[in-house]
Amino acid sequence: MTVSPAAALRRLRALGRGARTRAGRTVGGEQSLRAVLLLALVVSLDGADKGTLAVNAVSLEQAFGVGHTAIGLLASIASLTSAAFTLPIGVLTDRVVRVRLLGASILLWAVVTLLSGAATSYGWLVAARALLGAVTATSGPTVASLVGDYFPMADRARLYGYILVGEFVGTGVGIAVTSAVSAVLSWRYAVAWPAIPAAVLAWFAWRAREPARGGQNLPQRDLAAPGRDQGEAAGGAEPGAPHRPPGGGRTPAGSTALRRDTDPADLPWLRVVGYVLRIRTILIMIVASTLGYFFLAGVRTFAVLFATQQYGVTRGVAGILTLLVGAGGVVGLVVGGRTADRLLAGGRTNARVIVPVISLFCASLVLAPGLVIPAPGIAVPLLILGTGLLAATNPPLDAARLDVVPPPLWGRAESVRTAARTLGEFGAPLLFGYASSHVFTTHGLRWTFLVSVLALLAASLLGTLALRTYPGDVAAAAAATAPAR
């Protein structure tokens, strides 16, 4: 039976509408779907950039006559400048229209990406990477603040998981497209191609809807999931009633709190820094996430190079294996966020801490043998599982950080957290490159990766301390927000 082009087009449109409707129901409505897609695409830019650097590592070494340490510096310098610019970006996030801030930053990101592809020397490339870190500093505090205002507290971990999928998808697309481009063109095109989708995304971000500030949610009818009424969608409260935070509404003795007549939005910047760093849960999360991102930053930079050396495959095959491992991370993000929110709804007030602690511990046990075993048929499934467990920690942790900070401080608080974490992790690619070249004489990347797994185990043990501090800090944040309301 022959199908006309017009009929085929109508069928495709119907399938597209059906897929959009199902996706909207999954995340809580059409407006929620638009917000998730926008923020997921924003974080995907960072993943795409890291994917291009990983694939082009060998080409860059050959083009500029440098080694592993110099490639690590390219990743580290971007993290360093990002940490420096994150703090003023946090102030802007709490003061200006956030979607416009995102749109302008993404456009600058596209321009700097083109400058990277035009580099004629290693110094030029280092300078371009430093500028890239400055313009990408917007995503951390701005995305976190928008998540808090787009989505209700009870669903944030689950929806954060969908958003963070963008980083893994961006990394996968970056590796796949860069591998294809580098196979037929020079490394310059393989570095610069992300500027095109970035320019398109900048336009959509600029025109996106800016949500009301202060923890305001989308309309209850839009957030209601299938089979749930409006009260259930808000966490069991009556329609229009504020969500009761886990841990209750009282501020326990010893918790970080503001004076009852203080509006958090009016705090000076230095006082915000002091306030955030005195929140015990935030301080624990900063150190724990720094250890986790230290491992991830080093591994991600040298993933393709590691696969070529460990398994004796071409860069194309190594890119495919890296994509398979990244698929485990996508599953982990979704499962981690959904699990934490379900446990929270079931009365486990520490769910957003319990899930990361268990996931980090199990990830360290699974990744260690996966990094050592030279047979890809055995190692790759272990790496997929370990990556999934590692990724499962992020949605609950990101949601928990919003829970323990008053909404008017979300942008500045996230900038403090991001800057501190970035300063702790920026040296990871550099140290990985140095250790693999100078400390371990044989199988350098294998043993460097294996030793770094200890950072994940340490992060898990440290995270147990937050099991006691989290409920009280949530209550303190709710009390601090009351004067502003």
PDB file of all heavy atoms in Angstrom, residues 111-145:
ATOM      1  N   VAL A 111      30.031  32.362  20.568  1.00  0.00           N
ATOM      2  CA  VAL A 111      31.121  33.160  20.016  1.00  0.00           C
ATOM      3  C   VAL A 111      32.475  32.637  20.479  1.00  0.00           C
ATOM      4  O   VAL A 111      33.420  32.490  19.679  1.00  0.00           O
ATOM      5  CB  VAL A 111      30.954  34.644  20.418  1.00  0.00           C
ATOM      6  CG1 VAL A 111      32.173  35.466  19.985  1.00  0.00           C
ATOM      7  CG2 VAL A 111      29.686  35.224  19.804  1.00  0.00           C
ATOM      8  N   VAL A 112      32.585  32.322  21.772  1.00  0.00           N
ATOM      9  CA  VAL A 112      33.856  31.833  22.304  1.00  0.00           C
ATOM     10  C   VAL A 112      34.192  30.465  21.737  1.00  0.00           C
ATOM     11  O   VAL A 112      35.369  30.140  21.512  1.00  0.00           O
ATOM     12  CB  VAL A 112      33.804  31.797  23.848  1.00  0.00           C
ATOM     13  CG1 VAL A 112      35.077  31.190  24.416  1.00  0.00           C
ATOM     14  CG2 VAL A 112      33.609  33.200  24.401  1.00  0.00           C
ATOM     15  N   THR A 113      33.190  29.644  21.471  1.00  0.00           N
ATOM     16  CA  THR A 113      33.432  28.339  20.862  1.00  0.00           C
ATOM     17  C   THR A 113      34.054  28.492  19.482  1.00  0.00           C
ATOM     18  O   THR A 113      34.964  27.741  19.094  1.00  0.00           O
ATOM     19  CB  THR A 113      32.122  27.546  20.771  1.00  0.00           C
ATOM     20  OG1 THR A 113      31.585  27.364  22.092  1.00  0.00           O
ATOM     21  CG2 THR A 113      32.345  26.179  20.150  1.00  0.00           C
ATOM     22  N   LEU A 114      33.570  29.465  18.727  1.00  0.00           N
ATOM     23  CA  LEU A 114      34.178  29.734  17.420  1.00  0.00           C
ATOM     24  C   LEU A 114      35.615  30.193  17.566  1.00  0.00           C
ATOM     25  O   LEU A 114      36.488  29.829  16.763  1.00  0.00           O
ATOM     26  CB  LEU A 114      33.356  30.795  16.676  1.00  0.00           C
ATOM     27  CG  LEU A 114      31.948  30.382  16.226  1.00  0.00           C
ATOM     28  CD1 LEU A 114      31.223  31.567  15.601  1.00  0.00           C
ATOM     29  CD2 LEU A 114      32.019  29.227  15.233  1.00  0.00           C
ATOM     30  N   LEU A 115      35.910  30.997  18.584  1.00  0.00           N
ATOM     31  CA  LEU A 115      37.280  31.429  18.823  1.00  0.00           C
ATOM     32  C   LEU A 115      38.185  30.245  19.147  1.00  0.00           C
ATOM     33  O   LEU A 115      39.358  30.226  18.753  1.00  0.00           O
ATOM     34  CB  LEU A 115      37.315  32.443  19.977  1.00  0.00           C
ATOM     35  CG  LEU A 115      36.713  33.825  19.703  1.00  0.00           C
ATOM     36  CD1 LEU A 115      36.737  34.669  20.971  1.00  0.00           C
ATOM     37  CD2 LEU A 115      37.463  34.519  18.580  1.00  0.00           C
ATOM     38  N   SER A 116      37.660  29.250  19.844  1.00  0.00           N
ATOM     39  CA  SER A 116      38.457  28.057  20.153  1.00  0.00           C
ATOM     40  C   SER A 116      38.841  27.323  18.879  1.00  0.00           C
ATOM     41  O   SER A 116      39.972  26.864  18.723  1.00  0.00           O
ATOM     42  CB  SER A 116      37.664  27.124  21.082  1.00  0.00           C
ATOM     43  OG  SER A 116      37.351  27.758  22.302  1.00  0.00           O
ATOM     44  N   GLY A 117      37.901  27.201  17.955  1.00  0.00           N
ATOM     45  CA  GLY A 117      38.196  26.520  16.710  1.00  0.00           C
ATOM     46  C   GLY A 117      39.179  27.266  15.837  1.00  0.00           C
ATOM     47  O   GLY A 117      39.832  26.659  14.974  1.00  0.00           O
ATOM     48  N   ALA A 118      39.307  28.578  16.051  1.00  0.00           N
ATOM     49  CA  ALA A 118      40.228  29.393  15.248  1.00  0.00           C
ATOM     50  C   ALA A 118      41.613  29.504  15.859  1.00  0.00           C
ATOM     51  O   ALA A 118      42.463  30.232  15.332  1.00  0.00           O
ATOM     52  CB  ALA A 118      39.636  30.786  15.048  1.00  0.00           C
ATOM     53  N   ALA A 119      41.874  28.813  16.972  1.00  0.00           N
ATOM     54  CA  ALA A 119      43.155  28.945  17.671  1.00  0.00           C
ATOM     55  C   ALA A 119      44.322  28.545  16.778  1.00  0.00           C
ATOM     56  O   ALA A 119      44.280  27.514  16.111  1.00  0.00           O
ATOM     57  CB  ALA A 119      43.145  28.091  18.936  1.00  0.00           C
ATOM     58  N   THR A 120      45.365  29.375  16.799  1.00  0.00           N
ATOM     59  CA  THR A 120      46.582  29.092  16.027  1.00  0.00           C
ATOM     60  C   THR A 120      47.740  28.680  16.913  1.00  0.00           C
ATOM     61  O   THR A 120      48.825  28.373  16.405  1.00  0.00           O
ATOM     62  CB  THR A 120      46.994  30.331  15.210  1.00  0.00           C
ATOM     63  OG1 THR A 120      47.182  31.447  16.096  1.00  0.00           O
ATOM     64  CG2 THR A 120      45.917  30.677  14.183  1.00  0.00           C
ATOM     65  N   SER A 121      47.541  28.698  18.228  1.00  0.00           N
ATOM     66  CA  SER A 121      48.590  28.293  19.160  1.00  0.00           C
ATOM     67  C   SER A 121      47.943  27.724  20.409  1.00  0.00           C
ATOM     68  O   SER A 121      46.743  27.934  20.665  1.00  0.00           O
ATOM     69  CB  SER A 121      49.486  29.484  19.538  1.00  0.00           C
ATOM     70  OG  SER A 121      48.740  30.446  20.277  1.00  0.00           O
ATOM     71  N   TYR A 122      48.743  27.023  21.184  1.00  0.00           N
ATOM     72  CA  TYR A 122      48.218  26.448  22.426  1.00  0.00           C
ATOM     73  C   TYR A 122      47.816  27.548  23.401  1.00  0.00           C
ATOM     74  O   TYR A 122      46.798  27.435  24.090  1.00  0.00           O
ATOM     75  CB  TYR A 122      49.262  25.533  23.062  1.00  0.00           C
ATOM     76  CG  TYR A 122      48.822  24.938  24.380  1.00  0.00           C
ATOM     77  CD1 TYR A 122      47.875  23.923  24.432  1.00  0.00           C
ATOM     78  CD2 TYR A 122      49.341  25.421  25.590  1.00  0.00           C
ATOM     79  CE1 TYR A 122      47.452  23.393  25.635  1.00  0.00           C
ATOM     80  CE2 TYR A 122      48.929  24.892  26.800  1.00  0.00           C
ATOM     81  CZ  TYR A 122      47.985  23.883  26.824  1.00  0.00           C
ATOM     82  OH  TYR A 122      47.569  23.362  28.019  1.00  0.00           O
ATOM     83  N   GLY A 123      48.582  28.645  23.451  1.00  0.00           N
ATOM     84  CA  GLY A 123      48.234  29.763  24.330  1.00  0.00           C
ATOM     85  C   GLY A 123      46.897  30.373  23.972  1.00  0.00           C
ATOM     86  O   GLY A 123      46.103  30.738  24.858  1.00  0.00           O
ATOM     87  N   TRP A 124      46.633  30.508  22.670  1.00  0.00           N
ATOM     88  CA  TRP A 124      45.333  31.013  22.218  1.00  0.00           C
ATOM     89  C   TRP A 124      44.217  30.094  22.703  1.00  0.00           C
ATOM     90  O   TRP A 124      43.173  30.555  23.194  1.00  0.00           O
ATOM     91  CB  TRP A 124      45.344  31.107  20.697  1.00  0.00           C
ATOM     92  CG  TRP A 124      44.081  31.603  20.055  1.00  0.00           C
ATOM     93  CD1 TRP A 124      42.805  31.486  20.544  1.00  0.00           C
ATOM     94  CD2 TRP A 124      43.953  32.285  18.811  1.00  0.00           C
ATOM     95  NE1 TRP A 124      41.899  32.027  19.671  1.00  0.00           N
ATOM     96  CE2 TRP A 124      42.570  32.539  18.595  1.00  0.00           C
ATOM     97  CE3 TRP A 124      44.871  32.687  17.825  1.00  0.00           C
ATOM     98  CZ2 TRP A 124      42.103  33.172  17.459  1.00  0.00           C
ATOM     99  CZ3 TRP A 124      44.386  33.323  16.690  1.00  0.00           C
ATOM    100  CH2 TRP A 124      43.030  33.571  16.519  1.00  0.00           C
ATOM    101  N   LEU A 125      44.434  28.802  22.576  1.00  0.00           N
ATOM    102  CA  LEU A 125      43.410  27.842  22.981  1.00  0.00           C
ATOM    103  C   LEU A 125      43.155  27.907  24.480  1.00  0.00           C
ATOM    104  O   LEU A 125      42.013  27.832  24.934  1.00  0.00           O
ATOM    105  CB  LEU A 125      43.833  26.435  22.572  1.00  0.00           C
ATOM    106  CG  LEU A 125      42.760  25.338  22.664  1.00  0.00           C
ATOM    107  CD1 LEU A 125      41.548  25.690  21.822  1.00  0.00           C
ATOM    108  CD2 LEU A 125      43.336  24.001  22.232  1.00  0.00           C
ATOM    109  N   VAL A 126      44.224  28.064  25.265  1.00  0.00           N
ATOM    110  CA  VAL A 126      44.063  28.198  26.717  1.00  0.00           C
ATOM    111  C   VAL A 126      43.245  29.447  27.053  1.00  0.00           C
ATOM    112  O   VAL A 126      42.341  29.414  27.901  1.00  0.00           O
ATOM    113  CB  VAL A 126      45.438  28.242  27.416  1.00  0.00           C
ATOM    114  CG1 VAL A 126      45.278  28.627  28.887  1.00  0.00           C
ATOM    115  CG2 VAL A 126      46.135  26.895  27.297  1.00  0.00           C
ATOM    116  N   ALA A 127      43.544  30.565  26.380  1.00  0.00           N
ATOM    117  CA  ALA A 127      42.801  31.799  26.627  1.00  0.00           C
ATOM    118  C   ALA A 127      41.329  31.644  26.254  1.00  0.00           C
ATOM    119  O   ALA A 127      40.433  32.120  26.974  1.00  0.00           O
ATOM    120  CB  ALA A 127      43.431  32.943  25.837  1.00  0.00           C
ATOM    121  N   ALA A 128      41.064  30.960  25.138  1.00  0.00           N
ATOM    122  CA  ALA A 128      39.676  30.743  24.716  1.00  0.00           C
ATOM    123  C   ALA A 128      38.935  29.873  25.723  1.00  0.00           C
ATOM    124  O   ALA A 128      37.758  30.123  26.033  1.00  0.00           O
ATOM    125  CB  ALA A 128      39.640  30.112  23.329  1.00  0.00           C
ATOM    126  N   ARG A 129      39.606  28.857  26.236  1.00  0.00           N
ATOM    127  CA  ARG A 129      38.983  27.989  27.244  1.00  0.00           C
ATOM    128  C   ARG A 129      38.697  28.766  28.530  1.00  0.00           C
ATOM    129  O   ARG A 129      37.684  28.538  29.198  1.00  0.00           O
ATOM    130  CB  ARG A 129      39.889  26.805  27.551  1.00  0.00           C
ATOM    131  CG  ARG A 129      40.120  25.854  26.391  1.00  0.00           C
ATOM    132  CD  ARG A 129      38.892  25.080  26.013  1.00  0.00           C
ATOM    133  NE  ARG A 129      38.365  24.304  27.124  1.00  0.00           N
ATOM    134  CZ  ARG A 129      37.266  23.570  27.074  1.00  0.00           C
ATOM    135  NH1 ARG A 129      36.566  23.533  25.963  1.00  0.00           N
ATOM    136  NH2 ARG A 129      36.862  22.891  28.113  1.00  0.00           N
ATOM    137  N   ALA A 130      39.585  29.700  28.871  1.00  0.00           N
ATOM    138  CA  ALA A 130      39.347  30.527  30.057  1.00  0.00           C
ATOM    139  C   ALA A 130      38.106  31.391  29.867  1.00  0.00           C
ATOM    140  O   ALA A 130      37.267  31.520  30.780  1.00  0.00           O
ATOM    141  CB  ALA A 130      40.569  31.391  30.338  1.00  0.00           C
ATOM    142  N   LEU A 131      37.943  31.986  28.689  1.00  0.00           N
ATOM    143  CA  LEU A 131      36.739  32.771  28.398  1.00  0.00           C
ATOM    144  C   LEU A 131      35.495  31.892  28.417  1.00  0.00           C
ATOM    145  O   LEU A 131      34.429  32.310  28.881  1.00  0.00           O
ATOM    146  CB  LEU A 131      36.883  33.444  27.037  1.00  0.00           C
ATOM    147  CG  LEU A 131      37.847  34.627  26.945  1.00  0.00           C
ATOM    148  CD1 LEU A 131      37.978  35.086  25.498  1.00  0.00           C
ATOM    149  CD2 LEU A 131      37.373  35.778  27.822  1.00  0.00           C
ATOM    150  N   LEU A 132      35.636  30.670  27.940  1.00  0.00           N
ATOM    151  CA  LEU A 132      34.500  29.750  27.925  1.00  0.00           C
ATOM    152  C   LEU A 132      34.016  29.463  29.345  1.00  0.00           C
ATOM    153  O   LEU A 132      32.813  29.421  29.611  1.00  0.00           O
ATOM    154  CB  LEU A 132      34.892  28.453  27.225  1.00  0.00           C
ATOM    155  CG  LEU A 132      33.763  27.458  26.948  1.00  0.00           C
ATOM    156  CD1 LEU A 132      32.773  28.049  25.959  1.00  0.00           C
ATOM    157  CD2 LEU A 132      34.320  26.151  26.419  1.00  0.00           C
ATOM    158  N   GLY A 133      34.954  29.273  30.259  1.00  0.00           N
ATOM    159  CA  GLY A 133      34.567  29.053  31.648  1.00  0.00           C
ATOM    160  C   GLY A 133      33.817  30.237  32.229  1.00  0.00           C
ATOM    161  O   GLY A 133      32.871  30.069  33.010  1.00  0.00           O
ATOM    162  N   ALA A 134      34.205  31.454  31.818  1.00  0.00           N
ATOM    163  CA  ALA A 134      33.541  32.650  32.326  1.00  0.00           C
ATOM    164  C   ALA A 134      32.089  32.733  31.861  1.00  0.00           C
ATOM    165  O   ALA A 134      31.184  33.045  32.645  1.00  0.00           O
ATOM    166  CB  ALA A 134      34.313  33.898  31.888  1.00  0.00           C
ATOM    167  N   VAL A 135      31.836  32.449  30.580  1.00  0.00           N
ATOM    168  CA  VAL A 135      30.470  32.601  30.058  1.00  0.00           C
ATOM    169  C   VAL A 135      29.568  31.434  30.459  1.00  0.00           C
ATOM    170  O   VAL A 135      28.342  31.583  30.511  1.00  0.00           O
ATOM    171  CB  VAL A 135      30.484  32.768  28.524  1.00  0.00           C
ATOM    172  CG1 VAL A 135      31.238  34.011  28.138  1.00  0.00           C
ATOM    173  CG2 VAL A 135      31.068  31.559  27.828  1.00  0.00           C
ATOM    174  N   THR A 136      30.149  30.265  30.753  1.00  0.00           N
ATOM    175  CA  THR A 136      29.319  29.132  31.176  1.00  0.00           C
ATOM    176  C   THR A 136      29.014  29.160  32.670  1.00  0.00           C
ATOM    177  O   THR A 136      28.259  28.322  33.157  1.00  0.00           O
ATOM    178  CB  THR A 136      30.006  27.795  30.842  1.00  0.00           C
ATOM    179  OG1 THR A 136      31.308  27.758  31.448  1.00  0.00           O
ATOM    180  CG2 THR A 136      30.141  27.616  29.347  1.00  0.00           C
ATOM    181  N   ALA A 137      29.587  30.132  33.393  1.00  0.00           N
ATOM    182  CA  ALA A 137      29.325  30.234  34.830  1.00  0.00           C
ATOM    183  C   ALA A 137      27.869  30.523  35.132  1.00  0.00           C
ATOM    184  O   ALA A 137      27.406  30.303  36.255  1.00  0.00           O
ATOM    185  CB  ALA A 137      30.221  31.314  35.448  1.00  0.00           C
ATOM    186  N   THR A 138      27.136  31.005  34.147  1.00  0.00           N
ATOM    187  CA  THR A 138      25.728  31.369  34.360  1.00  0.00           C
ATOM    188  C   THR A 138      24.858  30.162  34.666  1.00  0.00           C
ATOM    189  O   THR A 138      23.903  30.262  35.447  1.00  0.00           O
ATOM    190  CB  THR A 138      25.181  32.085  33.109  1.00  0.00           C
ATOM    191  OG1 THR A 138      26.028  33.190  32.805  1.00  0.00           O
ATOM    192  CG2 THR A 138      23.774  32.577  33.332  1.00  0.00           C
ATOM    193  N   SER A 139      25.159  29.033  34.071  1.00  0.00           N
ATOM    194  CA  SER A 139      24.233  27.905  34.134  1.00  0.00           C
ATOM    195  C   SER A 139      23.991  27.412  35.555  1.00  0.00           C
ATOM    196  O   SER A 139      22.852  27.094  35.910  1.00  0.00           O
ATOM    197  CB  SER A 139      24.744  26.757  33.259  1.00  0.00           C
ATOM    198  OG  SER A 139      25.988  26.279  33.726  1.00  0.00           O
ATOM    199  N   GLY A 140      25.032  27.334  36.391  1.00  0.00           N
ATOM    200  CA  GLY A 140      24.864  26.777  37.732  1.00  0.00           C
ATOM    201  C   GLY A 140      23.831  27.511  38.568  1.00  0.00           C
ATOM    202  O   GLY A 140      22.755  26.965  38.893  1.00  0.00           O
ATOM    203  N   PRO A 141      24.091  28.775  38.961  1.00  0.00           N
ATOM    204  CA  PRO A 141      23.125  29.481  39.820  1.00  0.00           C
ATOM    205  C   PRO A 141      21.798  29.773  39.136  1.00  0.00           C
ATOM    206  O   PRO A 141      20.744  29.715  39.775  1.00  0.00           O
ATOM    207  CB  PRO A 141      23.864  30.779  40.185  1.00  0.00           C
ATOM    208  CG  PRO A 141      24.926  30.939  39.158  1.00  0.00           C
ATOM    209  CD  PRO A 141      25.320  29.554  38.753  1.00  0.00           C
ATOM    210  N   THR A 142      21.815  30.080  37.838  1.00  0.00           N
ATOM    211  CA  THR A 142      20.579  30.473  37.168  1.00  0.00           C
ATOM    212  C   THR A 142      19.645  29.286  36.979  1.00  0.00           C
ATOM    213  O   THR A 142      18.427  29.389  37.212  1.00  0.00           O
ATOM    214  CB  THR A 142      20.890  31.123  35.809  1.00  0.00           C
ATOM    215  OG1 THR A 142      21.831  32.178  36.002  1.00  0.00           O
ATOM    216  CG2 THR A 142      19.639  31.690  35.187  1.00  0.00           C
ATOM    217  N   VAL A 143      20.175  28.142  36.557  1.00  0.00           N
ATOM    218  CA  VAL A 143      19.340  26.955  36.398  1.00  0.00           C
ATOM    219  C   VAL A 143      18.761  26.524  37.735  1.00  0.00           C
ATOM    220  O   VAL A 143      17.569  26.192  37.840  1.00  0.00           O
ATOM    221  CB  VAL A 143      20.152  25.808  35.748  1.00  0.00           C
ATOM    222  CG1 VAL A 143      19.390  24.486  35.852  1.00  0.00           C
ATOM    223  CG2 VAL A 143      20.450  26.127  34.293  1.00  0.00           C
ATOM    224  N   ALA A 144      19.580  26.540  38.796  1.00  0.00           N
ATOM    225  CA  ALA A 144      19.082  26.146  40.115  1.00  0.00           C
ATOM    226  C   ALA A 144      17.960  27.056  40.579  1.00  0.00           C
ATOM    227  O   ALA A 144      16.932  26.599  41.099  1.00  0.00           O
ATOM    228  CB  ALA A 144      20.227  26.158  41.125  1.00  0.00           C
ATOM    229  N   SER A 145      18.123  28.363  40.397  1.00  0.00           N
ATOM    230  CA  SER A 145      17.085  29.302  40.808  1.00  0.00           C
ATOM    231  C   SER A 145      15.803  29.100  40.013  1.00  0.00           C
ATOM    232  O   SER A 145      14.695  29.136  40.575  1.00  0.00           O
ATOM    233  CB  SER A 145      17.602  30.738  40.622  1.00  0.00           C
ATOM    234  OG  SER A 145      16.612  31.685  40.974  1.00  0.00           O
TER     235      SER A 145
END
